Amino acid sequence: MVTPQSIFTLFGVYGDVQRVKILYNKKDSALIQLSDGNQAQLAMSHLNGQKVFGKVMRVTLSKHQTVALPREGLDDQLLTKDFSGSPLHRFKKPGSKNFQNIFPPSATLHLSNVRDGVGEDDLRLLFSNSGGTVKAFKFFQ
């Protein structure tokens, strides 16, 4: 099941997610508020048309300028979350190097801080235990 936290993680690659609201009557749709329009545009350009949990995701700009939080005492079934104070925001500082590390989704992963002695077989086992299939490795010195 998709949660506000999983949406925060996915869209947080492309901008600082402020709020997420999964629609109560349409659980396959959500409103995602990012820090600014450039970040929203970046997320849309990289994520629109990508497959997530077997469905092609459609990402468009919303007519809503902000995502409203539920009224006090209203049970929204944990579908709305405010992330504005999150320490996980990557783009708070203007000119951050994180802006240079934005790429569309890829089948290639970059691992770092791999302990000495960990080999290809260890990594293949790790990923296969999580349901992944490793096609190739390249180790750098």
Side-chain angles (χ1 to χ4, degrees):
M1 183 177 132
V2 175
T3 64
Q5 183 66 44
S6 63
I7 292 172
F8 169 83
T9 301
L10 177 61
F11 281 78
V13 171
Y14 301 100
D16 291 333
V17 176
Q18 300 300 305
R19 292 180 178 170
V20 174
K21 178 179 194 143
I22 297 172
L23 302 185
Y24 185 79
N25 290 324
K26 199 166 187 222
K27 301 249 183 336
D28 68 343
S29 298
L31 294 172
I32 303 147
Q33 180 182 337
L34 289 111
S35 290
D36 63 46
N38 290 333
Q39 292 178 8
Q41 187 71 41
L42 199 57
M44 184 176 74
S45 69
H46 285 300
L47 294 175
N48 187 43
Q50 295 295 325
K51 236 182 192 180
V52 178
F53 299 118
K55 284 181 80 174
V56 174
M57 189 168 41
R58 204 173 111 238
V59 182
T60 60
L61 297 176
S62 173
K63 66 180 180 181
H64 302 280
Q65 294 301 306
T66 60
V67 172
L69 293 173
R71 288 187 298 268
E72 186 96 15
L74 193 67
D75 178 23
D76 80 335
Q77 297 183 354
L78 304 175
L79 297 175
T80 306
K81 185 148 170 122
D82 185 351
F83 294 98
S84 58
S86 174
L88 300 176
H89 287 158
R90 303 174 60 217
F91 304 100
K92 282 185 266 198
K93 296 178 187 160
S96 165
K97 284 188 174 183
N98 288 326
F99 285 106
Q100 300 166 14
N101 295 317
I102 298 174
F103 303 99
S106 167
T108 302
L109 300 175
H110 179 117
L111 300 177
S112 58
N113 295 326
V114 177
R115 196 180 76 231
D116 285 342
V118 172
E120 188 173 322
D121 290 340
D122 300 312
L123 294 173
R124 282 187 189 280
L125 181 62
L126 175 70
F127 283 99
S128 68
N129 286 342
S130 301
T133 304
V134 176
K135 292 185 178 178
F137 275 102
K138 179 176 182 178
F139 286 94
F140 300 97
Q141 295 303 318

